[in-house]
Amino acid sequence: MRLSLASIALLLTCVGMSMTAQESKTTSDSVVTSMDKSVDPCVDFYQFACGGWIKNNPIPPDQSIWSRFGELAERNREELRGILENAAKAPNRDANEQKIGDYYSTCMDEAAIEKKGAGVLKPEFDHINGLRDKAALPVLMAYLHGQGINALFDFGSGADFKNAKQVIGQADQGGLSLPDRDYYLKDDPKSVELRKQYLQHVANMFKLLGDAPDKAAAEAIAVMNVETALAKGSGDRVERRDPERVYHKMPVTEWQSLTPSFSVTRYLTSVGAPAMDSLNVVEPNFFKALDAELKSASMDDLKTYLRWHLVHSQAESLPKAFQDENFNFYGKTLRGTKELQPRWKRCVAAVDGDLGEALGRVFVEKYFPPEAKARTLKMVNQLEAALHHDITELPWMSEVTKKQALIKLAAIQNKIGYPAKWRDYTALKIEPGDALGNSLRANAFEVHRQLAKIGKPLDKQEWQMTPPTVNAYYDPTENNINFPAGILQPPFYDFKADDALNFGGMGAVIGHELTHGFDDQGALFDAQGNLHDWWTPEDQKAFKERTQCFVNEYDQFVAVDDVHVRGKLTLGENTADNGGLRIAHMALMKSLADAGKQPEKIDGFTPDQRLFIGWGQIWCENQTDQTARLLALNNEHSPGKYRANGVVQNMPEFQKAWGCKAGQPMVRENACHVW
Ligand SMILES: [Zn+2]
């Protein structure tokens, strides 16, 4: 288990509407047409900045959320499609081009997938059906986990929180197919209804495998029973944000004592993990619950549960009926998406997921010029200087803690665009015509890569996101900020636009990631990435009081119907948003002062105002009610509206820029201010 990466956006795996990079460059025009000037910016800044965009950008039928991130991801996806179509047929391909090209064309060959039918799963099902007794389960689980089928629990690797130079093994809760344990446990009408629909979906998948309706219905109940037992043992999403709460390094023998009926040594040997004495058992209670379930569940029910996980995880490599059924539940019911994405988009996503650095390498060569990297680096330096100044001036922090904070800031490393060393995919075989095999072998390659790290030093040069990704992240155990090439484009950074707009976009994104080093999670890790307290008790107390202000503020925001934003779940992201925009503003002011010129208005707006417009406009979005609900319950980021408004309400700089007065909605009476 890795501490959840603190990123800027939801990871958008799907996008809609087709447009070329040229057409969608941010221009002065698009800034203005995205706005709704009939709204008072002091009353609802998000509507003022985004009203035009929201009106003109309905959610495409194959999407559940449509945003500025999504627009850019769509542009990148079109470019990736071009790369892949070319790699599929180009003569004299190199090894990487062969892999990405053949993976893509095999994924696209729906006729061949249809012809093979669900029978391709037979060898895998034979493994499951061959389970003779529960004592053999560890070997079977190692086989399934080894192919990326994440049933019953999760096993992988990650930095040792208290000795971050080192990678250790990590065993964690897992084995659910709904988005969170709460979906199995809550009794409100929406949750009850959703479980009914989930049962139907699981039964439908079994029917597609050829089981009779009665049998399929009973199998769905068996799956639900196993998953509900696992859900009961699982930790709460908010509590799991606390790094101390998810760190239990213990000898392998102690892990074994939590699950006496499952031989962990047999599992570890079979899965091919390097020898280890100890590991992080993230959720000890989960393994007790797992043990109880393994004792009480019948062999048949366990096999049914494993068959479900196999067919569920590989639905995209199976005939269309499986893809459609999978979409009906996970796309339509859960997210409110109207139509299944065209196959090419799903295949591009699959290549990005399974061969991300082979594909990303070509993407970077074609679409990420060295100037883009240099520009970003310059801005990172400006933002780091601003955060340095901000920390120095903080009224609530002692000099002792400030000194430590500055040591941590100075140690943050920047990674921009793409990895210094590309991943070597030599060991991964991609065969034309074998869609399921390609997917399972790619999973196996990744599992092997993760497990091989155990016992080795942490490699901070590695990336957790692929180059075309429209996102960014801070990694607390590595103490570095990471900006994939995919996000370093309009509307985040436009080399044709004025500084003010770019500081409100990319500048604030950089500020956001830097601030993650000092949010409620990041602040618990030191300059070396160790979970180690560097605060005085008084400063820690002042910090907690100040972050509680964000919890109270965001708790009040309504995501949809009666569902509120969860202040505690989104605390890290909200802290990063607030700190990020504040230091972006400081950096812009300094850059304007250094230039020594009287800044001009553009489109009638001062640089100050344009910075805020730039910020507001990266959050323009439309989403279905279902998705708004899903994200509010499970995602650590607030909805776009509150990412824009929740921050500016706390900023006297904003109120001054727009002439807002006390009592107006964008002037919060008890403004929150941490960084
Ligand atoms: Zn973030």
Side-chain angles (χ1 to χ4, degrees):
M1 178 251 171
R2 194 179 294 129
L3 186 69
S4 66
L5 295 166
S7 62
I8 184 80
L10 319 174
L11 265 174
L12 296 164
T13 52
C14 43
V15 279
M17 298 210 319
S18 159
M19 63 174 102
T20 68
Q22 214 48 45
E23 286 162 346
S24 58
K25 289 283 185 209
T26 306
T27 62
S28 198
D29 268 4
S30 86
V31 171
V32 175
T33 54
S34 292
M35 299 172 70
D36 177 356
K37 290 201 209 168
S38 72
V39 175
D40 182 342
C42 299
V43 171
D44 183 348
F45 185 67
Y46 175 70
Q47 190 60 32
F48 171 77
C50 289
W53 189 94
I54 291 168
K55 193 161 141 260
N56 295 322
N57 289 276
I59 309 167
D62 67 345
Q63 308 292 325
S64 64
I65 181 168
W66 190 237
S67 64
R68 306 307 300 279
F69 283 78
E71 276 182 333
L72 176 51
E74 173 64 8
R75 235 154 65 203
N76 292 347
R77 187 142 297 170
E78 290 280 4
E79 291 166 354
L80 296 174
R81 180 191 199 177
I83 291 169
L84 289 169
E85 284 176 351
N86 185 51
K89 55 176 196 284
N92 306 321
R93 301 182 296 179
D94 67 21
N96 272 344
E97 286 169 330
Q98 177 272 319
K99 287 186 209 301
I100 60 174
D102 286 352
Y103 192 117
Y104 182 73
S105 59
T106 300
C107 179
M108 286 299 290
D109 190 353
E110 287 188 280
I113 292 171
E114 208 62 36
K115 207 170 148 203
K116 285 191 172 184
V120 287
L121 287 176
K122 185 169 181 304
E124 309 306 321
F125 283 147
D126 286 348
H127 268 279
I128 295 170
N129 293 330
L131 182 70
R132 293 237 185 90
D133 54 41
K134 288 184 186 174
L137 193 61
V139 178
L140 177 60
M141 290 318 299
Y143 173 78
L144 293 172
H145 283 181
Q147 300 190 84
I149 315 298
N150 293 321
L152 289 181
F153 65 96
D154 284 354
F155 183 76
S157 64
D160 182 344
F161 285 3
K162 298 205 174 166
N163 177 24
K165 287 198 293 284
Q166 191 74 18
V167 179
I168 55 173
Q170 289 187 324
D172 196 3
Q173 66 188 39
L176 305 183
S177 311
L178 288 170
D180 187 79
R181 65 153 202 184
D182 287 355
Y183 285 74
Y184 297 87
L185 309 178
K186 279 165 59 174
D187 280 330
D188 60 284
K190 276 232 155 55
S191 302
V192 172
E193 174 62 22
L194 200 65
R195 281 199 291 277
K196 256 167 72 185
Q197 290 165 310
Y198 174 61
L199 272 175
Q200 188 57 55
H201 164 61
V202 177
N204 288 345
M205 292 292 268
F206 279 115
K207 279 192 264 180
L208 288 173
L209 288 172
D211 294 348
D214 282 2
K215 187 177 179 224
E219 287 171 323
I221 290 170
V223 168
M224 181 67 101
N225 288 343
V226 175
E227 293 191 349
T228 304
L230 299 179
K232 283 182 182 160
S234 298
D236 170 80
R237 196 176 279 278
V238 171
E239 288 175 5
R240 281 170 62 88
R241 292 195 65 253
D242 174 1
E244 291 282 2
R245 164 80 180 56
V246 292
Y247 182 78
H248 304 95
K249 194 175 172 187
M250 58 176 73
V252 173
T253 48
E254 202 176 324
W255 181 29
Q256 181 63 79
S257 69
L258 298 168
T259 57
S261 41
F262 182 92
S263 167
V264 300
T265 39
R266 269 189 100 181
Y267 170 80
L268 288 173
T269 313
S270 304
V271 83
M276 67 187 88
D277 299 326
S278 60
L279 79 166
N280 181 19
V281 177
V282 178
E283 287 283 345
N285 284 333
F286 174 82
F287 286 93
K288 290 185 197 163
L290 173 66
D291 194 68
E293 179 61 13
L294 293 181
K295 279 200 185 91
S296 65
S298 71
M299 284 283 287
D300 277 350
D301 284 359
L302 287 175
K303 287 181 190 176
T304 299
Y305 165 82
L306 296 175
R307 282 174 75 218
W308 153 250
H309 270 265
L310 180 65
V311 67
H312 168 60
S313 73
Q314 293 303 318
E316 287 294 317
S317 308
L318 296 172
K320 191 166 183 305
F322 288 86
Q323 298 164 26
D324 287 344
E325 176 57 37
N326 187 56
F327 169 75
N328 270 337
F329 182 74
Y330 287 98
K332 211 177 260 181
T333 303
L334 205 53
R335 295 189 169 78
T337 319
K338 291 199 173 70
E339 289 173 12
L340 179 62
Q341 278 191 342
R343 184 72 183 167
W344 75 264
K345 290 188 188 179
R346 289 178 283 141
C347 290
V348 168
V351 183
D352 183 48
D354 283 347
L355 287 154
E357 290 194 12
L359 175 58
R361 188 174 183 166
V362 190
F363 175 79
V364 164
E365 276 164 16
K366 258 186 114 157
Y367 298 108
F368 189 63
E371 307 89 83
K373 191 162 175 162
R375 283 198 306 262
T376 311
L377 188 60
K378 184 180 170 207
M379 206 172 220
V380 169
N381 291 335
Q382 288 170 297
L383 267 295
E384 281 178 349
L387 181 53
H388 187 283
H389 181 73
D390 176 65
I391 291 171
T392 315
E393 302 283 306
L394 284 180
W396 54 271
M397 191 185 264
S398 70
E399 292 305 318
V400 185
T401 307
K402 277 184 188 175
K403 196 175 157 207
Q404 294 302 316
L406 293 175
I407 289 173
K408 175 161 185 179
L409 172 62
I412 295 178
Q413 289 182 325
N414 314 311
K415 281 152 70 185
I416 296 165
Y418 53 91
K421 183 168 174 279
W422 294 100
R423 191 164 300 164
D424 178 2
Y425 290 99
T426 307
L428 171 55
K429 213 167 157 199
I430 298 300
E431 287 183 21
D434 185 10
L436 177 72
N438 289 341
S439 166
L440 292 176
R441 279 190 298 275
N443 287 349
F445 174 84
E446 177 61 13
V447 171
H448 180 264
R449 205 177 69 78
Q450 293 296 342
L451 297 188
K453 296 178 193 175
I454 296 172
K456 298 225 174 86
L458 180 66
D459 178 6
K460 297 187 182 181
Q461 292 310 310
E462 207 191 301
W463 282 66
Q464 318 293 349
M465 286 179 183
T466 67
T469 305
V470 184
N471 209 334
Y473 68 94
Y474 169 78
D475 188 323
T477 57
E478 296 184 355
N479 196 28
N480 57 23
I481 48 176
N482 302 260
F483 304 97
I487 195 173
L488 303 172
Q489 308 177 62
F492 297 93
Y493 192 98
D494 183 353
F495 69 93
K496 289 185 292 190
D498 51 308
D499 273 359
L501 206 62
N502 285 331
F503 272 92
M506 200 58 217
V509 170
I510 294 166
H512 173 105
E513 302 309 340
L514 285 171
T515 309
H516 269 314
F518 305 91
D519 70 15
D520 63 313
Q521 284 182 330
L524 302 172
F525 292 83
D526 66 14
Q528 282 74 44
N530 289 315
L531 182 56
H532 162 247
D533 190 2
W534 46 270
W535 295 67
T536 66
E538 299 75 40
D539 289 333
Q540 182 65 255
K541 189 166 166 272
F543 176 67
K544 281 197 175 141
E545 278 165 16
R546 282 173 177 263
T547 51
Q548 183 60 39
C549 181
F550 287 138
V551 176
N552 300 342
E553 177 190 357
Y554 286 80
D555 263 342
Q556 291 169 8
F557 297 141
V558 175
V560 60
D561 302 334
D562 57 336
V563 181
H564 282 235
V565 174
R566 300 173 72 182
K568 279 188 177 155
L569 181 64
T570 55
L571 176 56
E573 297 300 333
N574 298 333
T575 306
D577 279 347
N578 277 270
L581 186 59
R582 195 182 301 272
I583 62 172
H585 184 266
M586 288 169 64
L588 173 66
M589 290 301 119
K590 172 147 197 325
S591 146
L592 292 173
D594 289 351
K597 286 186 297 197
Q598 193 60 31
E600 288 167 22
K601 283 189 175 183
I602 300 177
D603 298 327
F605 297 111
T606 66
D608 239 1
Q609 291 174 328
R610 287 178 65 79
L611 170 118
F612 290 109
I613 293 170
W615 169 251
Q617 290 194 343
I618 62 174
W619 302 118
C620 305
E621 70 187 14
N622 282 306
Q623 57 187 327
T624 64
D625 284 356
Q626 292 93 327
T627 292
R629 177 176 293 269
L630 180 87
L631 295 178
L633 294 175
N634 304 303
N635 195 277
E636 299 198 346
H637 302 84
S638 299
K641 176 178 176 179
Y642 302 117
R643 296 190 76 162
N645 285 355
V647 174
V648 301
Q649 285 178 35
N650 289 320
M651 289 182 72
E653 300 89 337
F654 171 85
Q655 289 133 20
K656 191 170 157 232
W658 297 97
C660 305
K661 302 202 169 46
Q664 287 191 290
M666 293 299 108
V667 185
R668 195 174 146 78
E669 203 184 328
N670 301 307
C672 307
H673 183 174
V674 181
W675 303 103

